[in-house]
Amino acid sequence: MASPSQADAACLGPSHLRQTVDAATEVADKIKADWTSVMAATGEKTIVVDVYKYMGAVAFDVICKIAFSKDRGAVEMIGKNEFSKTAEMFEEALALTQLRIFSPPVMWSWMGISSSSPRVTSVRDSSQAFIMDVIAERRAATSLGEHQAKGKWDMDVLDRFLQNSAELNPDGEGLSEDEIVGETLAMLVAGHETTANSMAFIIMSSVRTRTSWQRLLMTLTASTLRSAATSRPRTSLSSSTSTG
């Protein structure tokens, strides 16, 4: 059985930073197209949006792209005033996590957030079932030849977890099935929370100070131009869309 630190060392690496940039750029382009379309349809030069909701959708789509090479379509669904049951489930998981962090354990039962409460067990069972379905789908696609093994620099997180599973490492040092589910779920929940909150607060703080906003735009523009001038061809993550 591998320890969490061994799992992280084996399955997470610098290559995922590159993949994150690619995935985030793709999602940002979708938001830009959506907002541009709304402004063109209304004839307005500005648009009012729920920044936190969009940043939550961005975080969810990007993390799923890095973890499973799947586009869950959360950003597009917000643009259509729809909702993703999967994204909603993880938002509930985040809400429960925050409540349990900031509330004394002695109050959990009274608040309905104890480990045995219906609210917690429902979210836990649903989130675990989601991850297990993704894993089963990946294994089935691999066995049918529909999912091709990638080079080590282009593997998503789930590829790396499965490659380091106990099933493929008979010496007993691999990850168990429960560890793969737990590590993947932890990445989704923890990564979503920190990313969504950070991006929402960065945007809010920046727009409150015009000079900071202009400086940020200048920096991003200069960085984009430099990247375009020195960029090399890169293998993008495979993209299959699911709106579950």
Side-chain angles (χ1 to χ4, degrees), residues 27-90:
V27 173
D29 287 341
K30 291 179 181 178
I31 293 179
K32 179 181 177 181
D34 179 45
W35 291 356
T36 300
S37 175
V38 171
M39 288 188 287
T42 60
E44 300 290 339
K45 294 184 178 180
T46 59
I47 182 173
V48 178
V49 299
D50 184 331
V51 172
Y52 180 75
K53 181 179 289 186
Y54 262 100
M55 293 306 101
V58 168
F60 186 73
D61 280 348
V62 170
I63 293 172
C64 285
K65 207 67 176 299
I66 304 308
F68 322 127
S69 298
K70 272 189 173 294
D71 182 356
R72 304 303 298 187
V75 167
E76 289 97 326
M77 296 187 82
I78 288 181
K80 297 176 182 177
N81 292 318
E82 299 175 353
F83 68 96
S84 165
K85 291 183 178 179
T86 304
E88 189 178 60
M89 173 189 67
F90 278 102

Side-chain angles (χ1 to χ4, degrees), residues 138-159:
R138 172 62 57 83
R139 283 179 168 148
T142 301
S143 65
L144 293 173
E146 296 172 358
H147 179 77
Q148 300 297 325
K150 306 184 184 79
K152 68 176 182 177
W153 300 116
D154 292 300
M155 296 172 70
D156 60 30
V157 174
L158 186 55
D159 278 328

Side-chain angles (χ1 to χ4, degrees), residues 157-179:
V157 174
L158 186 55
D159 278 328
R160 294 180 185 273
F161 280 150
L162 294 178
Q163 185 185 62
N164 289 275
S165 67
E167 180 182 3
L168 299 181
N169 293 274
D171 55 7
E173 292 299 319
L175 294 165
S176 69
E177 192 75 4
D178 286 343
E179 286 174 324

Side-chain angles (χ1 to χ4, degrees), residues 65-217:
K65 207 67 176 299
I66 304 308
F68 322 127
S69 298
K70 272 189 173 294
D71 182 356
R72 304 303 298 187
V75 167
E76 289 97 326
M77 296 187 82
I78 288 181
K80 297 176 182 177
N81 292 318
E82 299 175 353
F83 68 96
S84 165
K85 291 183 178 179
T86 304
E88 189 178 60
M89 173 189 67
F90 278 102
E91 286 183 5
E92 173 69 353
L94 294 173
L96 286 171
T97 301
Q98 290 178 337
L99 282 174
R100 287 167 66 101
I101 288 175
F102 295 109
S103 304
V106 70
M107 298 290 291
W108 288 359
S109 180
W110 178 79
M111 297 172 66
I113 58 174
S114 66
S115 298
S116 59
S117 69
R119 185 180 176 186
V120 172
T121 55
S122 175
V123 171
R124 181 177 63 235
D125 293 346
S126 297
S127 58
Q128 288 180 344
F130 167 74
I131 299 299
M132 292 173 70
D133 286 346
V134 170
I135 293 173
E137 181 183 331
R138 172 62 57 83
R139 283 179 168 148
T142 301
S143 65
L144 293 173
E146 296 172 358
H147 179 77
Q148 300 297 325
K150 306 184 184 79
K152 68 176 182 177
W153 300 116
D154 292 300
M155 296 172 70
D156 60 30
V157 174
L158 186 55
D159 278 328
R160 294 180 185 273
F161 280 150
L162 294 178
Q163 185 185 62
N164 289 275
S165 67
E167 180 182 3
L168 299 181
N169 293 274
D171 55 7
E173 292 299 319
L175 294 165
S176 69
E177 192 75 4
D178 286 343
E179 286 174 324
I180 293 175
V181 173
E183 289 287 330
T184 307
L185 184 57
M187 176 184 174
L188 277 174
V189 174
H192 183 282
E193 170 71 0
T194 54
T195 304
N197 280 327
S198 296
M199 291 193 297
F201 277 113
I202 287 172
I203 292 174
M204 182 182 71
S205 299
S206 298
V207 297
R208 282 180 172 177
T209 307
R210 193 65 180 175
T211 54
S212 297
W213 183 248
Q214 293 296 337
R215 189 181 303 116
L216 176 61
L217 291 179

